[in-house]
Amino acid sequence: MEDKFSRRIQKTINIFCWVPLLLGTVGYMIEGNDFLHSLYSTICLYFMNPINSDENLLIILTKFLTVIVAGNIILTILFAALSVTSHFITNRFKDSTAIYTDNEFGSIILDKFKHSYIVKIDDTSKKPHRFSSKGAKRHIFVFDNDNKCINEFKRYESYLTDKNVYLLLNNVDSFLIHSQTESSIKRNCKLQVVNFQELLARDFWCTRIKEIFEDRNKNFKKLGDENKKYNIAICGYGSIGNAILRYAILNNLYDVNQNFVYHVWGCSLYKKKFIYNVFNKSKDIGSKDEAFVYDDDYLECVDKLMDMDIVICTEEQNSLELVKRMLFLRKQNKLPRIYYYSKSDNSFSDIYVDENIKPFGRPDSILNEHTVIDDSLYKCAKYISYDYHSYHEWETKKKESNRDMPPYQKYIENMINENNLDKHIIDHWEGVGEEDKKDRAFSQGSDIARADHLLIEKTIRNKKNIIDDMDNPSNATKELWALEHIRWCRYLILNGYTYGEKDPANKTHNCLIEFSKLSKNYQRLDGYQSKCIESMIDKEVCKKMKYYNLL
């Protein structure tokens, strides 16, 4: 609104600047001057340099108006010069960021990023106004409408060669966009697509890791039953509820024998079938987690919610009513952990003093450099992918070679100069090969999902003091491999895969079986292989753990 108002004022002033020229010319002609002399005398007034001493009402009014117009011109030039200078200076920094936006998210990102500015988008122009953003090192596109976000990116695409570009989408799957725009995007810039709902879900569950560990230790071991059911209620299954459950399916893996039970309210018939299908197929790969979907209104099922370990209300408009009803039924101060979605600063914990009632989902707490430009997550994914494919390559050469191959650790060291390791890894991530392009986005999604789970895996390693030995793995190490296998299988199941001969075109895979039924070589693939890559992964995971206060 402010931009439209300021443009309207500027437009009015631009029209108004011609009024003194007309009045002055007429005024001087009334005094007997010819047209050209009158026009020249009026123009001189704009520069506050009168050359004619004639006076009348029109000339006096012209002198007054030209001062206003001249002042406006000077200020406009001054502000333009300051803007260009400011952008020039900002663009000198390594973290300079141009933000293209039409919503509040852009302003939030602006406040969170140190050297950043918003690029004004002119919908009427066929060409983008790029003078201010051309030199920025990073470019973030965030719009209310995903189609507009992608279209605006395409308008600027030719100016973003070798730049770091981030598309923040609301609904479009962040991995589908890679394959759909492969030819027009990857060749020009370093693109990273993120989905706000995914960021919200990641932030929610990563900040809960320590709490879930504490709950399991406190409630389960006290009863002597580590496999006791852990009940999680998701009230409301819109885009936020869907993102939270999807992320939980992929990452809430703490133990091979765990039994997390998800209770979901607010599903359509299609989503209900999809959820049951995912959990039923997961049983075939050794997962004991369950899901129940209810047709009732969750506000009428408060007594059932009181038996949960975690209650997540994803519908902002019903949060207050749900909290009130649960507090009313509370007995002996027993209350499950209640998390309610809220975009604002409103906090029920200020009204109802209870440490178990907490808000989540505020954009200003989610959108920052760590989440939007999450280098550590993507670095881990790249390292995992490179290690996996390098091990496959080593295995193939070992089978085909008539001579003895060096051990894998030595093979990596001989093949790669460590100074160029990052370049090799990036080249592998961005260009696996022509035949793999169709499946690259899918495999990258799996690697990113695994990188997400490393926070939990690292926490388990720290608590159990697990040290890997790939040649002689301990039972604890094998359990971590089994967890990774379940996660990998769930990723395939979520994307429509079923058991069968390996065929990506038909979405079938022969490894969608229990971990114990895999060969030893396939079991090894669920763990780290190279020590040098493992140390790099560990370094990036520690950054994420520090951010989420898990160390």
Side-chain angles (χ1 to χ4, degrees):
M1 287 297 291
E2 290 181 5
D3 287 339
K4 288 183 179 179
F5 184 67
S6 61
R7 284 201 296 267
R8 193 173 297 169
I9 292 176
Q10 187 62 45
K11 187 176 180 181
T12 303
I13 291 175
N14 291 339
I15 296 173
F16 180 70
C17 72
W18 295 100
V19 174
L21 186 65
L22 177 63
L23 294 178
T25 302
V26 173
Y28 282 117
M29 290 180 68
I30 292 174
E31 295 299 318
N33 298 289
D34 59 49
F35 174 74
L36 290 178
H37 184 76
S38 299
L39 181 62
Y40 179 67
S41 298
T42 304
I43 292 173
C44 289
L45 292 179
Y46 279 87
F47 297 95
M48 300 179 190
N49 183 31
I51 62 170
N52 196 315
S53 58
D54 293 335
E55 292 281 353
N56 61 38
L57 183 60
L58 290 179
I59 294 173
I60 293 172
L61 182 58
T62 299
K63 288 181 178 180
F64 175 73
L65 293 176
T66 51
V67 171
I68 298 175
V69 172
N72 175 67
I73 292 172
I74 292 170
L75 288 174
T76 301
I77 294 172
L78 180 61
F79 283 129
L82 287 173
S83 177
V84 171
T85 303
S86 173
H87 289 138
F88 177 81
I89 294 172
T90 301
N91 287 339
R92 299 307 97 191
F93 292 94
K94 291 182 180 180
D95 61 345
S96 59
T97 306
I99 304 165
Y100 310 75
T101 186
D102 66 350
N103 60 27
E104 62 178 345
F105 285 180
S107 300
I108 291 170
I109 295 172
L110 179 69
D111 293 337
K112 299 289 184 177
F113 285 54
K114 189 173 182 181
H115 301 108
S116 61
Y117 51 84
I118 289 178
V119 178
K120 301 297 182 184
I121 299 295
D122 183 1
D123 294 330
T124 62
S125 175
K126 293 183 179 179
K127 293 184 178 180
H129 300 293
R130 59 185 176 87
F131 78 93
S132 62
S133 62
K134 189 177 180 181
K137 309 301 185 297
R138 304 183 302 200
H139 300 258
I140 300 175
F141 291 79
V142 47
F143 291 83
D144 280 330
N145 184 282
D146 287 347
N147 286 333
K148 184 173 182 180
C149 187
I150 295 170
N151 289 334
E152 290 299 338
F153 162 74
K154 288 181 178 178
R155 288 176 69 200
Y156 284 78
E157 183 183 359
S158 60
Y159 309 125
L160 299 175
T161 302
D162 296 328
K163 303 290 186 182
N164 293 309
V165 180
Y166 306 86
L167 300 188
L168 182 58
L169 305 177
N170 294 305
N171 299 305
V172 176
D173 190 310
S174 60
F175 302 115
L176 289 178
I177 197 72
H178 283 293
S179 57
Q180 289 176 350
T181 56
E182 180 77 34
S183 60
S184 64
I185 292 177
K186 283 289 185 181
R187 66 173 184 234
N188 283 330
C189 61
K190 301 167 186 175
L191 179 72
Q192 185 169 309
V193 181
V194 292
N195 180 289
F196 178 72
Q197 315 298 344
E198 290 173 10
L199 292 182
L200 187 154
R202 178 178 292 115
D203 182 77
F204 178 84
W205 287 115
C206 287
T207 52
R208 306 279 94 80
I209 290 174
K210 191 176 286 187
E211 291 178 1
I212 293 174
F213 265 110
E214 289 175 355
D215 283 351
R216 287 172 59 79
N217 291 335
K218 187 190 303 179
N219 299 331
F220 299 171
K221 289 187 177 180
K222 190 183 294 183
L223 299 172
D225 180 11
E226 291 189 16
N227 305 327
K228 181 180 179 293
K229 292 183 178 181
Y230 191 71
N231 293 288
I232 300 172
I234 299 176
C235 302
Y237 199 71
S239 58
I240 296 172
N242 177 58
I244 284 177
L245 180 59
R246 179 186 172 90
Y247 193 91
I249 291 170
L250 285 174
N251 293 283
N252 280 355
L253 292 163
Y254 292 78
D255 188 280
V256 290
N257 294 313
Q258 73 179 32
N259 189 189
F260 280 35
V261 185
Y262 297 93
H263 304 260
V264 184
W265 279 265
C267 271
S268 64
L269 180 61
Y270 165 76
K271 290 179 179 178
K272 183 177 181 178
K273 289 181 178 179
F274 178 78
I275 292 172
Y276 279 135
N277 182 54
V278 169
F279 281 89
N280 287 335
K281 286 183 178 179
S282 294
K283 291 178 181 178
D284 296 333
I285 53 146
S287 172
K288 296 181 180 179
D289 289 352
E290 303 173 81
F292 295 97
V293 181
Y294 303 92
D295 296 325
D296 316 63
D297 184 345
Y298 58 84
L299 289 175
E300 303 302 324
C301 300
V302 179
D303 54 339
K304 188 183 293 290
L305 293 175
M306 294 298 293
D307 295 329
M308 303 291 163
D309 294 286
I310 292 178
V311 175
I312 308 165
C313 186
T314 66
E315 296 180 331
E316 192 170 15
Q317 67 272 23
N318 290 330
S319 296
L320 179 58
E321 183 61 28
L322 179 62
V323 172
K324 283 165 57 180
R325 294 189 186 190
M326 293 189 72
L327 285 170
F328 181 76
L329 291 178
R330 178 172 57 180
K331 296 178 182 178
Q332 298 178 348
N333 286 327
K334 289 184 179 180
L335 194 70
R337 296 184 187 274
I338 302 173
Y339 302 99
Y340 61 93
Y341 174 64
S342 176
K343 292 184 291 186
S344 64
D345 295 333
N346 298 329
S347 173
F348 300 155
S349 55
D350 296 335
I351 305 172
Y352 306 109
V353 182
D354 195 305
E355 61 179 9
N356 286 329
I357 303 174
K358 297 178 182 178
F360 74 94
R362 280 178 48 188
D364 61 340
S365 67
I366 296 171
L367 299 174
N368 53 55
E369 291 205 40
H370 179 87
T371 55
V372 178
I373 305 176
D374 194 351
D375 285 336
S376 59
L377 178 68
Y378 282 83
K379 278 184 180 179
C380 283
K382 291 172 185 176
Y383 297 152
I384 290 166
S385 176
Y386 185 77
D387 194 31
Y388 177 84
H389 286 279
S390 296
Y391 184 75
H392 255 303
E393 185 179 276
W394 176 75
E395 281 275 310
T396 303
K397 288 183 178 180
K398 189 178 177 182
K399 290 178 182 178
E400 296 175 350
S401 177
N402 293 325
R403 54 187 177 81
D404 291 335
M405 285 286 292
Y408 179 64
Q409 303 291 347
K410 197 69 179 174
Y411 171 77
I412 286 288
E413 291 175 9
N414 293 340
M415 189 175 64
I416 304 170
N417 179 340
E418 287 194 14
N419 292 328
N420 295 322
L421 182 58
D422 273 345
K423 184 179 185 305
H424 281 288
I425 290 170
I426 292 170
D427 289 345
H428 163 79
W429 179 265
E430 295 183 351
V432 177
E434 290 296 326
E435 71 281 0
D436 296 320
K437 276 188 175 182
K438 292 181 180 179
D439 303 319
R440 191 189 310 166
F442 180 78
S443 62
Q444 286 178 350
S446 177
D447 294 327
I448 292 169
R450 184 182 183 189
D452 262 328
H453 185 255
L454 289 179
L455 288 180
I456 294 174
E457 186 176 317
K458 178 69 174 178
T459 305
I460 295 171
R461 288 177 184 274
N462 290 345
K463 287 183 176 294
K464 295 186 177 182
N465 195 26
I466 298 173
I467 300 175
D468 286 332
D469 182 349
M470 298 298 293
D471 297 322
N472 298 292
S474 64
N475 289 334
T477 296
K478 285 186 176 180
E479 282 191 13
L480 288 180
W481 294 358
L483 274 184
E484 164 52 22
H485 179 67
I486 292 173
R487 183 216 60 78
W488 177 82
C489 289
R490 284 184 178 184
Y491 179 79
L492 264 64
I493 292 169
L494 277 170
N495 286 279
Y497 272 69
T498 56
Y499 175 77
E501 288 299 318
K502 186 178 179 181
D503 185 358
N506 291 316
K507 290 191 173 184
T508 55
H509 205 291
N510 60 325
C511 289
L512 280 171
I513 55 178
E514 289 188 33
F515 178 80
S516 60
K517 297 179 181 179
L518 293 171
S519 66
K520 288 185 178 181
N521 281 340
Y522 275 107
Q523 288 180 353
R524 284 172 62 98
L525 290 175
D526 288 309
Y528 300 142
Q529 306 296 328
S530 167
K531 287 293 182 184
C532 64
I533 294 179
E534 180 182 348
S535 64
M536 297 166 74
I537 291 173
D538 193 61
K539 181 180 177 182
E540 297 303 325
V541 173
C542 285
K543 290 180 184 177
K544 287 170 63 63
M545 294 187 75
K546 186 176 181 181
Y547 176 79
Y548 289 113
N549 193 30
L550 295 172
L551 290 176

